[in-house]
Amino acid sequence: MKKIHLSSVDSTNAYLKLNYKELDNYTFVSSDNQTNGRGRNNRQWKSENGKNLLFSLLILDKELIKHFKEISIISALTIVEILEEMDIKDVSIKWPNDVYVGTNKISGILLEAVTRDEVECLIVGVGINVNQKEFIGDYLTNPISILNIINREIDINGFKEVVYGRLIDNLESLLKGHDFYPYIYSHDYLKGKQAYASINNINELVQIHGINNDYSLKVSVNNKEKNIDFGEITFHI
Ligand code: BTN
């Protein structure tokens, strides 16, 4: 495994997509700045230079690639664990892979796959708001940073080491069959809420029951239960 740090890049996910053939499993690439940071659903991921943790992890291990359904939620859970250990309260996972503190988003994950005949690699891209004070502009969510919560800056390099180490540990535990579901169940942001979900491109008001143990989301639409495997949930305010 190898760690690469760049002062600026278009996107750490794009960097790994371009270079994965020459790199090892668990290569970790971070950057102070991204000129074209991407979020889910083709959104931008904006971050002030040097203030936040922006990284991508390369997964080449074929056994781990088979767990692609669990990987983004396990990555979110890893961030929840670390924030809780920093004594931050009310941290939860907004299915499928956002991390919230209270009703504010502190971290987002973009999982991408490079596929030829089969999946060649997975790229787990993570943005965590760390020392950024203000979020000005058109954000769809209410961003928050660690600084906003604990009122002091933290050392991003030290924090990066903790996140990297714990993420690898959790992915290795996933391979060994560890059951993360109880932790996920108890940190489920959407459980019991009503939200708009785009299901097959139609926006529906749904009642959310919570994350299932196969990591799909159980909802009721017009009083009929269904499990959503993917799809964006947007809050009905
Ligand atoms: C989301 O919440 O929509 C996902 C955001 C993912 C952002 C990270 S920052 C590092 C990596 N590089 C990118 O371009 N995106 C991910």
Side-chain angles (χ1 to χ4, degrees), residues 97-149:
N97 47 15
D98 286 342
V99 178
Y100 269 58
V101 174
T103 54
N104 298 80
K105 178 163 165 171
I106 197 160
S107 173
I109 292 155
L110 176 65
L111 180 73
E112 296 187 282
V114 176
T115 309
R116 301 269 179 265
D117 293 332
E118 53 174 3
V119 178
E120 301 213 335
C121 71
L122 295 177
I123 296 166
V124 190
V126 181
I128 310 176
N129 299 330
V130 180
N131 289 330
Q132 185 166 336
K133 203 169 193 167
E134 287 176 337
F135 297 86
I136 300 159
D138 52 335
Y139 288 92
L140 284 171
T141 50
N142 299 330
I144 197 168
S145 65
I146 296 177
L147 168 69
N148 295 150
I149 300 161

Side-chain angles (χ1 to χ4, degrees), residues 9-14 29-31 34 36-47 53-56 97-99 105 107-112 123-128 141 232:
V9 67
D10 51 353
S11 145
T12 54
N13 271 34
V29 54
S30 55
S31 186
Q34 294 186 128
N36 192 23
R38 309 306 311 164
R40 292 179 61 237
N41 300 315
N42 244 346
R43 294 192 198 120
Q44 278 186 305
W45 183 261
K46 292 180 266 182
S47 170
L53 182 55
L54 310 168
F55 73 87
S56 302
N97 47 15
D98 286 342
V99 178
K105 178 163 165 171
S107 173
I109 292 155
L110 176 65
L111 180 73
E112 296 187 282
I123 296 166
V124 190
V126 181
I128 310 176
T141 50
E232 177 75 351

Side-chain angles (χ1 to χ4, degrees), residues 80 84 87-93 100-104 187 189:
V80 174
E84 286 196 327
D87 223 17
I88 295 178
K89 309 280 182 239
D90 202 11
V91 194
S92 59
I93 300 166
Y100 269 58
V101 174
T103 54
N104 298 80
H187 291 81
Y189 179 74

Side-chain angles (χ1 to χ4, degrees), residues 67-71 73 95 179 181 184 210-218 227-229:
H67 288 272
F68 70 94
K69 271 189 161 183
E70 295 112 296
I71 285 178
I73 206 158
W95 184 90
D179 181 12
Y181 184 63
I184 291 172
I211 301 170
N212 295 310
N213 61 4
D214 66 356
Y215 304 136
S216 61
L217 190 71
K218 185 178 291 229
N227 296 320
I228 310 179
D229 260 328

